[in-house]
């Protein structure tokens, strides 16, 4: 109780002294006497120095009586083994081997177009017809001549079997029949080229040339046909991944335009390094049951190039580097309740994924690592653990 009264008396005296000093300072300034103002300035500086010295003494006494106030506060987390898959991020384009423009094999007028855009067609289906320019009439005449040649040959053959007639007559009849038959087959093939057929099953994407136009082989584009079943993504991969990105690797594919993500695999890895950009090509299988994925779409790829079933991952932000270029983190030792000692641990790191990095050596499973406060502790320093994450 006596101490309380002493403190109250001291507070009153200090407040009154402060009030007196304030009024005294104001009064001296009001005199406009330079000597008195300078003298007061000197007195105040001396008082300020004395108070600062006393504050330091009080703070030193507090620290001596409460050593916990000097211990840094930290949080820790336990390093746990977990499966880790590293992905290489690339960009690719959707392609298909069945995306072609059909050209005519015969010159003439495009007399008929039997399909329209968006129509599903089957392999071998007739898509358009080119006027044959009278070849059908020629074929009819050739067939009549071939029929006559066949009849002549058959009769001559029977006579020859009976040893009637000369061998020359038989051979001439046979040669004429075979020549007429071959001529019919050739003209039929020629007329067959006037029919434009689907080379594979798919969808008519574009009817390029209108009915009635004159077309020429290898020059006039008629129809574009696309098959969306056998789709794939093609991408260029840096040569440094030639041994890690191979056939069968997992791939995550994202189409920004569609907002769609699928999981698939690498179906083919190239065996040639392009000397111009030091890359090799990979093909990624692309299921497309709903036909929503179209040729030439841009895709973002994440290809799995490295997998570890028991990896230790830590945040990259807590890793420091010493003068020798060695990476290190701070772990804790001598743990006693909430207090412990900080220990600098040299580590070797592997691949990164986002904000985390794999630890190859230096950290064991279950070891506690300093997280928050890692940048402010020193080797062997006592620390206080606030939280274990």
């Amino acid at each position: 109780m006596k101490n309380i009264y002493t403190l109250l008396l001291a507070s009153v005296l200090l407040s009154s002294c402060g009030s007196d000093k304030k009024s005294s300072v104001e009064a001296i300034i009001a005199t406009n006497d330079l000597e008195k103002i300078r003298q007061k300035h000197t007195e105040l500086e001396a008082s300020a120095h004395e108070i600062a010295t006393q504050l330091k003494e009080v703070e030193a006494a507090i620290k001596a009586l409460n050593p916990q106030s000097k211990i840094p506060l930290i949080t820790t987390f336990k390093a746990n083994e977990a499966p880790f898959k590293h992905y290489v991020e690339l960009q690719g384009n959707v392609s298909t081997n069945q995306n072609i423009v059909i050209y005519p094999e015969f010159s003439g007028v495009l007399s008929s177009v039997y399909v329209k855009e968006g129509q599903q067609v089957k392999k071998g289906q007739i898509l358009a017809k080119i006027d044959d320019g009278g070849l059908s009439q020629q074929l009819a005449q050739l067939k009549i001549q071939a029929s006559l040649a066949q009849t002549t040959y058959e009769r001559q053959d029977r006579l020859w079997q009976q040893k009637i007639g000369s061998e020359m007559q038989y051979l001439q009849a046979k040669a004429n029949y075979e020549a007429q038959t071959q001529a019919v087959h050739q003209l039929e093939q020629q007329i067959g080229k006037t029919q434009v057929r689907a080379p594979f099953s798919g969808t008519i994407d574009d009817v390029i040339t209108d009915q009635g136009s004159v077309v020429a082989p290898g020059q006039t584009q008629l129809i574009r046909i696309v098959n969306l079943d056998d789709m794939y993504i093609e991408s260029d991969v840096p040569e440094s991944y030639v041994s890690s990105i191979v056939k069968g690797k997992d791939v995550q594919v994202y189409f920004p335009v569609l907002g769609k993500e699928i999981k698939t695999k690498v179906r083919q890895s190239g065996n040639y390094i392009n000397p111009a950009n030091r890359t090799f090509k990979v093909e990624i299988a692309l299921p497309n049951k709903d036909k929503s994925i179209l040729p030439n779409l841009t895709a973002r790829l994440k290809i799995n190039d490295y997998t570890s079933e028991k990896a230790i991952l830590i945040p990259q932000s807590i890793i420091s580097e010493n003068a020798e270029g060695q990476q290190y983190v701070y772990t804790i030792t001598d743990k006693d309740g909430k207090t412990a000692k900080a220990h600098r641990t040299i580590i070797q790191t592997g691949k990164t994924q986002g904000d985390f990095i794999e630890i190859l050596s230096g950290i064991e499973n279950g070891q506690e690592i300093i997280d928050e406060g890692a940048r402010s502790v020193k080797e062997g320093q006592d620390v206080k653990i606030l939280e274990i994450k």
Side-chain angles (χ1 to χ4, degrees):
M1 185 65 72
K2 183 178 179 181
N3 292 335
I4 295 174
Y5 284 128
T6 303
L7 290 171
L8 290 173
L9 179 60
S11 299
V12 172
L13 289 173
L14 285 172
S15 61
S16 63
C17 288
S19 177
D20 291 341
K21 285 181 180 180
K22 184 176 180 182
S23 60
S24 175
V25 170
E26 290 176 351
I28 291 172
I29 293 175
T31 64
N32 290 326
D33 188 333
L34 182 59
E35 288 299 324
K36 290 182 178 181
I37 295 174
R38 283 178 174 173
Q39 184 179 358
K40 191 64 178 177
H41 181 267
T42 303
E43 293 174 359
L44 292 173
E45 278 188 337
S47 300
H49 180 70
E50 183 179 356
I51 292 172
T53 302
Q54 292 174 353
L55 281 172
K56 289 181 180 179
E57 291 175 355
V58 171
E59 289 174 355
I62 291 173
K63 289 181 178 180
L65 294 172
N66 183 21
Q68 295 294 327
S69 62
K70 297 184 292 183
I71 298 180
L73 304 177
I74 64 165
T75 64
T76 65
F77 67 92
K78 287 187 177 182
N80 294 318
E81 292 179 346
F84 170 55
K85 287 189 175 183
H86 182 266
Y87 292 90
V88 179
E89 297 188 12
L90 301 169
Q91 183 168 302
N93 291 318
V94 177
S95 300
T96 175
N97 291 324
Q98 296 185 329
N99 175 20
I100 65 169
V101 173
I102 300 175
Y103 287 82
E105 297 182 90
F106 191 85
S107 296
V109 177
L110 187 64
S111 57
S112 301
V113 177
Y114 304 119
V115 293
K116 57 184 179 180
E117 295 173 1
Q119 182 177 335
Q120 298 290 324
V121 296
K122 294 183 179 181
K123 181 179 180 179
Q125 182 176 333
I126 298 176
L127 309 179
K129 178 74 168 63
I130 301 171
D131 183 65
D132 60 21
L135 292 182
S136 297
Q137 288 81 0
Q138 294 180 28
L139 178 62
Q141 293 175 3
L142 276 178
K143 284 183 176 180
I144 293 172
Q145 294 174 8
S147 178
L148 176 60
Q150 180 181 6
T151 301
T152 303
Y153 166 67
E154 290 174 350
R155 289 181 179 178
Q156 195 66 41
D157 181 57
R158 287 194 298 270
L159 292 173
W160 178 246
Q161 295 298 330
Q162 298 173 11
K163 305 298 182 180
I164 300 173
S166 66
E167 182 180 6
M168 183 61 66
Q169 290 176 326
Y170 165 74
L171 293 176
Q172 286 178 345
K174 181 180 179 182
N176 184 46
Y177 168 61
E178 290 177 349
Q180 292 293 336
T181 303
Q182 187 65 30
V184 169
H185 288 162
Q186 288 180 350
L187 194 54
E188 285 177 339
Q189 290 178 356
Q190 187 109 5
I191 294 174
K193 293 179 179 180
T194 65
Q195 295 178 335
V196 181
R197 296 178 180 271
F200 50 81
S201 298
T203 304
I204 301 300
D205 186 65
D206 189 13
V207 178
I208 303 171
T209 303
D210 294 329
Q211 181 174 316
S213 302
V214 177
V215 298
Q219 298 180 16
T220 309
Q221 297 183 349
L222 297 181
I223 298 168
R224 177 181 291 277
I225 181 172
V226 180
N227 187 334
L228 300 180
D229 292 330
D230 185 20
M231 308 285 284
Y232 65 93
I233 297 173
E234 191 173 66
S235 180
D236 292 327
V237 181
E239 64 177 344
S240 56
Y241 298 101
V242 70
S243 60
S244 56
I245 296 182
V246 295
K247 181 179 178 180
K249 284 289 186 176
D250 292 331
V251 185
Q252 296 178 5
V253 182
Y254 177 69
F255 298 98
V257 174
L258 303 177
K260 180 178 182 178
E261 184 173 352
I262 62 173
K263 293 182 179 180
T264 180
K265 293 183 180 292
V266 175
R267 78 176 187 185
Q268 182 178 336
S269 179
N271 298 312
Y272 170 76
I273 303 296
N274 187 340
N277 56 10
R278 310 308 304 174
T279 63
F280 64 97
K281 289 189 179 295
V282 294
E283 286 186 7
I284 297 156
L286 194 59
N288 190 26
K289 293 182 179 179
D290 60 358
K291 313 294 185 184
S292 62
I293 301 171
L294 305 177
N296 299 317
L297 268 179
T298 299
R300 295 176 187 169
L301 310 175
K302 287 185 178 180
I303 306 177
N304 173 227
D305 69 317
Y306 170 77
T307 301
S308 175
E309 295 301 328
K310 293 182 178 181
I312 294 177
L313 301 178
I314 67 170
Q316 297 187 62
S317 58
I318 67 172
I319 299 177
S320 301
E321 190 173 297
N322 60 22
E324 288 77 30
Q326 296 174 312
Q327 293 180 313
Y328 65 88
V329 296
Y330 280 102
T331 58
I332 61 170
T333 59
D334 303 328
K335 185 177 180 182
D336 183 13
K338 290 292 186 180
T339 60
K341 287 187 179 294
H343 174 62
R344 180 183 294 178
T345 303
I346 303 298
I347 60 173
Q348 288 186 346
T349 58
K351 295 184 178 293
T352 61
Q353 193 71 53
D355 297 330
F356 292 85
I357 189 167
E358 182 188 16
I359 302 300
L360 300 179
S361 66
I363 301 295
E364 297 180 356
N365 185 37
Q367 194 168 359
E368 262 186 87
I369 303 173
I370 297 178
D371 185 7
E372 296 179 18
R375 301 286 185 180
S376 60
V377 299
K378 298 179 180 178
E379 169 66 23
Q381 187 176 18
D382 290 330
V383 293
K384 183 176 182 180
I385 304 171
L386 292 178
E387 180 185 3
I388 301 176
K389 297 181 179 178

